[in-house]
Amino acid sequence: MAGVLDIRQFRPLTGAALISLAVAVCYYAAGRLGLLGRLVVEDVVATPIWPPTGVAVAALLLFGARVWPGIALGSFLVIASLTTPGPTTVVTVMSNTVAPLCAFLLLRRVGFRLDMARLRDGLSLVFLGGFGAMLISATAGVGLQVVTGSLDRSEFWAVWLAWWAGDTMGVLLVAPLLLVLAGATGRFRVRRWKEAALLGVTTLVVVPLAVLSPVGLLFLVFPLLVWAALRFQLAGSVLCALFASVFATYEAISDRGAFSHLSDVEIMVKLQTFNGSAALTALLLASVIAEQRATRRSVRRACEELAEVLEHLAAGEPSPGPSAGSSPEPTESSAAPPGGHRDP
């Protein structure tokens, strides 16, 4: 019996260890993908979209705070793949772990729901999980470089803004997509597959046209985001926004289209403005549509229940009361049985 109890005690630890290891692998893979889209700002490498922050926040929301060792391990592996780990690596790993943990705790504090079916869920992810919590990693990472002398103080704000924006875009673009893939936001309905295919083809045509045009046609992407959010909610809008942001990032690195003949700082500002606007449009509009549909379903359900109650009342009106002595008060005797039937 003691051996059985020991096994039961070790099973939760084994499960948490395996989940943390899987999170570390996903974090590392996302980090390597994010480094493919890096830019140089003030002689410092920055990533306009840093997917590992989205992986970390989504993992915490799905599995809880127990997976934080996987986030720390993944962050260490990413840093080790770039440079030789040193004393400063500990601070960077801690900041990269604490920031998603802070985002998770803040979201849990305000009652964040994984289905993101309310506007408050979208606003919470944007302002608490993204803009707010990622201040920790950006400030610690860039501040550490200033303290160690690898970055001049005059360059602090430009690098800090690029770092903070990259981490925030990872939360706003990657975390919702992972929640969709994990099924936390509901199943993706494919009954409108013809419209979905049309939207996909249109996105593949319009996004390159808008990004590659030197005239400045980036605004053409936003009608696609509205279309995707209205018809396919979070799944469609996030996919569309992520594709547009990744394509724009690739072209910005190549110095082509709407990002040609710009300085490194101008490219970063223009790119992050576009990515942020696309992410906000996709998340908030999809949340509004989901909330409206949930409200409509609630109203429809209430109307159906009310109609059912009225049918019971109508059916009970011609029936005589259960006792002859109740004839002076026909209203109460006729209303009592339906009310009693409805209470359970």
Side-chain angles (χ1 to χ4, degrees):
M1 179 64 68
V4 174
L5 292 177
D6 291 339
I7 293 176
R8 291 180 178 179
Q9 290 177 356
F10 279 111
R11 280 181 179 177
L13 296 177
T14 304
L18 292 176
I19 294 175
S20 297
L21 183 60
V23 170
V25 172
C26 295
Y27 190 104
Y28 175 77
R32 299 305 301 177
L33 288 175
L35 291 172
L36 297 177
R38 52 189 173 185
L39 292 171
V40 178
V41 179
E42 302 291 349
D43 298 327
V44 176
V45 176
T47 53
I49 303 175
W50 186 237
T53 56
V55 172
V57 172
L60 290 169
L61 290 173
L62 291 171
F63 304 110
R66 59 177 179 166
V67 301
W68 72 264
I71 299 173
L73 177 60
S75 177
F76 175 80
L77 293 176
V78 173
I79 296 173
S81 67
L82 297 175
T83 183
T84 302
T88 58
T89 304
V90 178
V91 179
T92 304
V93 170
M94 288 180 59
S95 64
N96 290 341
T97 306
V98 171
L101 267 174
C102 183
F104 165 69
L105 294 176
L106 288 173
L107 291 174
R108 189 175 66 175
R109 179 78 176 178
V110 298
F112 177 82
R113 284 167 38 178
L114 296 182
D115 57 3
M116 295 184 64
R118 302 173 300 176
L119 178 59
R120 60 179 294 184
D121 297 326
L123 292 174
S124 299
L125 184 64
V126 170
F127 292 102
L128 296 180
F131 292 162
M134 295 305 115
L135 293 172
I136 299 174
S137 56
T139 303
V142 181
L144 180 64
Q145 296 186 20
V146 173
V147 171
T148 57
S150 59
L151 182 67
D152 191 76
R153 290 185 178 182
S154 60
E155 302 171 342
F156 174 84
W157 289 111
V159 178
W160 179 89
L161 181 60
W163 191 312
W164 173 70
D167 285 355
T168 302
M169 289 303 102
V171 175
L172 301 187
L173 291 173
V174 178
L177 179 61
L178 293 178
L179 294 178
V180 170
L181 295 177
T185 60
R187 297 181 179 179
F188 181 77
R189 299 178 180 179
V190 295
R191 58 185 179 183
R192 294 193 299 268
W193 64 270
K194 293 183 179 179
E195 184 179 0
L198 178 61
L199 175 61
V201 172
T202 306
T203 301
L204 292 176
V205 174
V206 173
V207 170
L209 175 65
V211 175
L212 292 175
S213 174
V215 181
L217 300 177
L218 292 176
F219 63 89
L220 292 178
V221 175
F222 293 94
L224 296 176
L225 297 176
V226 174
W227 179 9
L230 289 175
R231 301 298 290 170
F232 302 100
Q233 300 184 48
L234 189 63
S237 62
V238 169
L239 282 174
C240 186
L242 182 62
F243 172 73
S245 298
V246 170
F247 191 88
T249 300
Y250 177 78
E251 297 304 325
I253 296 172
S254 304
D255 193 18
R256 293 188 297 186
F259 304 95
S260 60
H261 308 298
L262 298 176
S263 64
D264 294 337
V265 176
E266 290 173 340
I267 289 176
M268 179 61 72
V269 171
K270 186 174 183 178
L271 178 61
Q272 294 296 41
T273 301
F274 171 74
N275 289 345
S277 301
L280 288 175
T281 302
L283 280 177
L284 299 184
L285 185 57
S287 298
V288 169
I289 297 302
E291 187 174 29
Q292 288 182 346
R293 291 190 174 185
T295 302
R296 191 181 302 114
R297 286 193 297 267
S298 299
V299 172
R300 185 184 301 114
R301 191 179 305 113
C303 292
E304 293 175 354
E305 292 178 356
L306 180 59
E308 182 179 353
V309 171
L310 293 176
E311 289 179 0
H312 283 289
L313 290 174
E317 283 180 356
S319 302
S323 61
S326 62
S327 57
E329 298 178 355
T331 304
E332 294 181 2
S333 61
S334 62
H341 174 76
R342 193 61 190 168
D343 284 343

